[in-house]
Each structure stands twice: as structure tokens, then as C-alpha cells.
Amino acid sequence: MQLSLMRKDPMDRTFSGEDLRSLVQLLLDACALAGNATPQVALTATLWGFARVHGEGLRAQLAEELGEGVRLRDPDTLELTTPLDLTSGSAPAALATYLEGLTEFHEESLLLELRLRFALPQEQEERAFVLHGVLERGKFVLQGLWRTGEGDFQDDTYQFNPWPDEKKLLQKLHDFSRSEGALDAAFCKELFPNRSTKAAGGAVVWLLSYKTPQEWCQRLGVTLGLFLGLLALITSAVAPFLSVFLGFGLVLSGLAFLGVLGLRLYMIYYCRTQMSAMNKRLYTAPLVFTQADLSQDPVAQGDIALRKLTQDIEALGAQCVGDVTSSSLPTEMGAFLRLFCTDDGTALMLVLLHHNNQTQVRPSKANFLIRTELENGGRCVTVNNDGGYRKPFPGLSVVARVFTKARHPADLLRKHRHVLALTEQRQGTRRRPLAPHEILETEVLYHEQLRTVIQKVGYFGWGDAFRMSFQKPLLQYQQDELD
């Protein structure tokens, strides 16, 4: 489930059971004022942040305290679904007790997402209002609120940017819970738009829900091209004497295509210049690690991802070697680095990004690097972050794999060991187990080897930038995947 919210000005608002009851009642009233029939409402709660080994025990505990409808959606996520019988006036009030039960059942902080799903009788799809936050010290701290529909692209959008109506809805909730103002029809229709308005709004959100600038360029080009092409065809069919608009529409479509092409070329240039500058900064100086103590870091102490993933990695039989900071990290980026050594002498690095420029990441976003040394002088490296765009470096015996869908260290380690076994068989060699104190030494040595090679072959080529702009890693870095 782990959805890390990225906010420049994080919202940390205590959200009580009474607030949840008031919100449901407000949404029901707004739905009616917008001209809709009484909807069917269900609440889905998802919890993340507990150690994997405790998942089944927590599921049983929650099922005993809150009733049926509790399941492990995956090894790291508990899901609770509670349908509400709105024929009973006590249904919203029961939600207050429900949330209080969630806040009290676990001592450690957990990530909590509440999804209020409204199924309108006259429509075939649901509307949902998502409350995203943290359970800590017996209370729910709200960090994000947004409205979504079918699909998850809107969730992706509001992961990076706040919902425009977030503050407005919270202010309405404040007034509603204190009977200090009536709901206006315009606002109710914004919350529950009709089909045409919703379709237009969904198209705008889809257009804006990009993860990279080049993806936005593609969506903008598709939207303009389709709109102008259809407009030209309709004009020509209805009024042939206005066929000049067909040519006009084709010209505009062509300009839109050229604009997308130009922006694509710019993105290739941008990727090359940015990556070249970053690699030049990284590989013109020796790699220096500095010992750190995250137990004394106030940000690290409250980070759910750091605590959970540390527990999960240690449950795999790995030993925590220590915490470090690295000179290779850009000054505007903040990350936790924790080193582990597995029981078979493989190095595992946990990298958790907790802020970038002025943007805070809550909880921190995790990436993993797993490395095994071989007796023939080579090494096997597996990562789950964005990469795999460069061709293998000459003179370096490295088997590298990029598995971006492996979001948990257990999954990535399983894939790594599979690739490692195939590598040992193909190269006729065996792994060379590392002692814990050798992990940093070998990392620094490999960095020096890379410095020599990269300064000869270049920091980042045009072909590398082309693949990166399309987010298409070389297939050889994705071979031998188990799933």
C-alpha cells in the first residue's frame, strides 16, 4: 500500500471519530443537495507499517475487536471493509467508535488510509473520498484528503500535489460540525458533479496526473490532436462549404504534434544534461561515507518506513551493520542510509528519501540495493529504483538487474538470489561472502573502478538519455526475473 505523500507544507491535523461522523453526514447531505438519490456507502480502511511477521496476528486481533471484514490484502497491508446501513440514523455515529477502535489497537505508528465509497443508484461507478494519515499515540493525524473515482490515476496525482478543494472541504466540515453555516448547492455539486461535469473534470485531472514532464507532453498532444481532428471532421460533414476548417484543424493538429515532438527532444536534452552533471559531480571525487546514528535523528525516529523495513530485513536473517551518510547525495536531497549484511554475506543497502528540495516525503520512500561479490572478481547487483538506461561498462564484470516492481526487500532479495544462482552456473564461479566490515570498503573500491571507466566513456550519452526520456530500460537489466 505504501503511498508516500509529498508536500511542501504538510497538513498535520488530528482527526477524531467525531470528525469522521460529521464528515460522513456532511457528504450525505451534500449528495442529496446535489440532486442525487441516497447512495450506498462503504468504508474501507487500509493499514501499513507493521512488521510482516505480525500481519496475521494483527488481522486476528482486529477481527476480534471490530468484527468480520478484516483481511490481509498483501503481506504488508491490512484491509477492513465496513458497509454502512444508512436506513439507521446510528450508522454515522458508529463510525466514531470504529475509528477510535483503530487508533487504540496498536502501540506503534501505522499508516492509515480511510476510503469512503459512495455508490450512486443512477450511476455505475463509485465516488470516493480518501483520508490519508498516520495512527500515532492513540489518535489519527490527517495528512491528506482528496476525492477520486474509478482507477488510481487521481490517487497518483494527489500523492504529489494537494487536492485543490482540500482546505475548502475541511473548512466546511469545521462549520458543519458546529452548525455555523448551511451547505451551498454550488459546493455540493462540486463534490458530487453530474456525468458531463465529472467527465470533463476527470479529463482535466487525467491530463494533469503526470509523473514526468514527457508524460504530460504525450497526454497534451493526444488531447489536442483528437479534439482538433474530431472538430475538423464534424465541421466538414455538417457544412461542406466550411471545409476550410478541416485544413485549419489539420494544421493545428500538426502544430500540436510538432510541439510534442519539440518537448520530447527537449526532455532528451534535459535528461542528458542533468544526468551528466550529476554523474560528473559524483564520479570526479572519491566516495566518502560518514557514520551516523539514526536513533538520535528526530525525523528518523518518527519514520514508519524506516522502522518497518528494518524489522522486515532483520526477519530475513540480515544483520544491521550501521547507518551512514554519503557524499554522493545531492545537497538538496535528504535520505536515510542503513546497511545490512545477510546471513550468506550479501550486502543490502536501504535508502529512504525523506525530503527533496523543499518537499517533505511522508513516510519516506524506500529503495534497495543488493550486492553480492563473486570469487572471479565480478559482482551481482540488483536494485528496484529507476535505472537500467546505460549500456554495460567495458572492463567491469557486473551482472546488474533492475526490478522496479519489487517494493519489498524480501521480494527483491528473492529475485537477486535467483539471478545470482544463474550467474554462478553460467560463469562457473561462486559467491564470495562479505564480512560486515567489508561492505563499505567494497562499495568505495567499486566506486573508484567506476570513476576510471566513466571518465573514459562519458558521464551520460544521448542514447542513455533517449531511453530515460521514454522510461525504457534495456531489456538485459530485466532478464531472469522470477515473476
Side-chain angles (χ1 to χ4, degrees):
M1 165 198 166
Q2 189 197 349
L3 178 66
S4 298
L5 295 188
M6 302 181 186
R7 298 288 189 268
K8 290 185 178 180
D9 185 19
M11 173 181 61
D12 290 320
R13 167 180 172 150
T14 300
F15 202 82
S16 66
E18 182 61 26
D19 290 330
L20 181 60
R21 184 201 67 77
S22 297
L23 177 62
V24 172
Q25 194 60 60
L26 181 153
L27 293 174
L28 287 172
D29 291 353
C31 185
L33 286 173
N36 298 298
T38 302
Q40 292 182 338
V41 183
L43 173 67
T44 299
T46 50
L47 291 162
W48 185 92
F50 51 86
R52 272 194 171 187
V53 294
H54 299 151
E56 181 55 38
L58 292 176
R59 186 207 63 77
Q61 179 184 346
L62 270 178
E64 182 178 350
E65 293 180 3
L66 299 177
E68 298 297 326
V70 184
R71 70 184 182 101
L72 275 171
R73 192 174 71 188
D74 58 56
D76 302 293
T77 308
L78 276 168
E79 182 178 86
L80 304 82
T81 301
T82 303
L84 301 178
D85 180 11
L86 295 178
T87 58
S88 170
S90 62
L95 281 178
T97 305
Y98 181 81
L99 181 57
E100 291 168 1
L102 285 176
T103 58
E104 296 173 356
F105 99 101
H106 198 261
E107 295 181 357
E108 296 180 322
S109 301
L110 294 175
L111 198 65
L112 172 64
E113 180 184 280
L114 298 174
R115 191 171 292 257
L116 286 162
R117 297 182 287 115
F118 288 73
L120 302 177
Q122 67 271 28
E123 298 188 12
Q124 296 180 350
E125 65 180 67
E126 292 182 341
R127 316 283 175 81
F129 292 85
V130 182
L131 294 89
H132 188 92
V134 176
L135 292 178
E136 58 181 10
R137 294 186 292 274
K139 60 183 180 180
F140 177 43
V141 179
L142 184 65
Q143 296 178 337
L145 168 65
W146 61 87
R147 185 193 62 208
T148 185
E150 289 189 339
D152 59 359
F153 69 88
Q154 291 170 322
D155 290 332
D156 292 339
T157 300
Y158 302 129
Q159 176 185 1
F160 298 96
N161 300 285
W163 180 40
D165 291 332
E166 179 182 74
K167 292 183 178 179
K168 186 176 181 180
L169 178 55
L170 289 174
Q171 183 60 49
K172 291 288 185 181
L173 174 63
H174 178 272
D175 297 339
F176 181 84
S177 61
R178 289 161 178 77
S179 302
E180 296 178 355
L183 293 175
D184 57 275
F187 177 68
C188 295
K189 291 179 179 179
E190 290 179 14
L191 293 179
F192 293 92
N194 57 36
R195 281 183 176 272
S196 58
T197 305
K198 182 167 62 68
V204 172
V205 172
W206 174 81
L207 181 60
L208 297 177
S209 63
Y210 60 92
K211 297 179 181 179
T212 60
Q214 58 265 35
E215 185 178 347
W216 178 80
C217 296
Q218 291 172 344
R219 293 188 177 192
L220 179 62
V222 168
T223 303
L224 284 176
L226 288 176
F227 174 75
L228 294 173
L230 288 173
L231 180 63
L233 290 175
I234 292 172
T235 303
S236 177
V238 174
F241 63 91
L242 295 177
S243 59
V244 64
F245 285 100
L246 177 60
F248 181 67
L250 291 175
V251 169
L252 289 179
S253 298
L255 290 175
F257 172 77
L258 291 176
V260 172
L261 179 61
L263 288 170
R264 170 65 65 182
L265 293 175
Y266 171 75
M267 285 309 305
I268 295 173
Y269 168 79
Y270 178 82
C271 289
R272 184 179 186 274
T273 54
Q274 292 296 310
M275 292 301 297
S276 294
M278 186 183 74
N279 287 336
K280 185 176 182 179
R281 183 176 65 242
L282 174 60
Y283 292 108
T284 52
L287 181 61
V288 178
F289 287 106
T290 305
Q291 295 293 330
D293 184 4
L294 294 183
S295 64
Q296 303 300 318
D297 188 308
V299 178
Q301 287 178 347
D303 191 76
I304 297 175
L306 177 64
R307 185 201 70 230
K308 171 199 165 41
L309 294 173
T310 296
Q311 294 173 344
D312 288 351
I313 293 172
E314 290 177 339
L316 298 173
Q319 172 189 350
C320 181
V321 177
D323 306 321
V324 296
T325 59
S326 171
S327 62
S328 65
L329 287 175
T331 55
E332 68 274 10
M333 182 181 297
F336 306 127
L337 278 72
R338 178 159 284 177
L339 304 177
F340 298 86
C341 186
T342 66
D343 52 5
D344 60 357
T346 288
L348 192 157
M349 180 180 292
L350 171 62
V351 183
L352 290 160
L353 177 69
H354 59 80
H355 81 262
N356 192 6
N357 289 323
Q358 301 299 317
T359 302
Q360 297 186 38
V361 185
R362 298 186 179 182
S364 57
K365 188 175 181 180
N367 286 308
F368 317 105
L369 183 149
I370 303 176
R371 175 171 51 84
T372 302
E373 300 294 316
L374 302 174
E375 289 184 349
N376 64 0
R379 56 181 53 87
C380 186
V381 180
T382 307
V383 298
N384 72 333
N385 62 309
D386 186 32
Y389 305 116
R390 301 199 65 164
K391 293 182 179 180
F393 295 116
L396 293 180
S397 179
V398 180
V399 176
R401 293 294 182 268
V402 179
F403 300 132
T404 56
K405 294 182 180 180
R407 303 312 306 167
H408 191 274
D411 303 325
L412 192 66
L413 185 60
R414 178 172 57 92
K415 295 175 182 292
H416 174 82
R417 285 172 171 166
H418 174 70
V419 175
L420 177 61
L422 293 176
T423 302
E424 290 176 319
Q425 181 180 2
R426 292 166 182 170
Q427 297 186 5
T429 187
R430 293 186 302 177
R431 71 194 70 187
R432 181 176 71 83
L434 291 174
H437 70 272
E438 293 182 291
I439 291 179
L440 289 181
E441 297 174 4
T442 53
E443 193 67 34
V444 171
L445 176 62
Y446 181 51
H447 179 82
E448 290 302 307
Q449 294 174 344
L450 277 176
R451 284 182 63 196
T452 303
V453 174
I454 287 180
Q455 289 174 5
K456 292 180 180 178
V457 302
Y459 293 108
F460 206 73
W462 288 107
D464 309 326
F466 179 84
R467 286 184 288 271
M468 184 177 185
S469 70
F470 283 94
Q471 293 187 314
K472 295 294 182 183
L474 290 166
L475 292 178
Q476 66 190 83
Y477 294 117
Q478 299 171 318
Q479 293 175 350
D480 306 320
E481 190 170 5
L482 283 171
D483 302 321

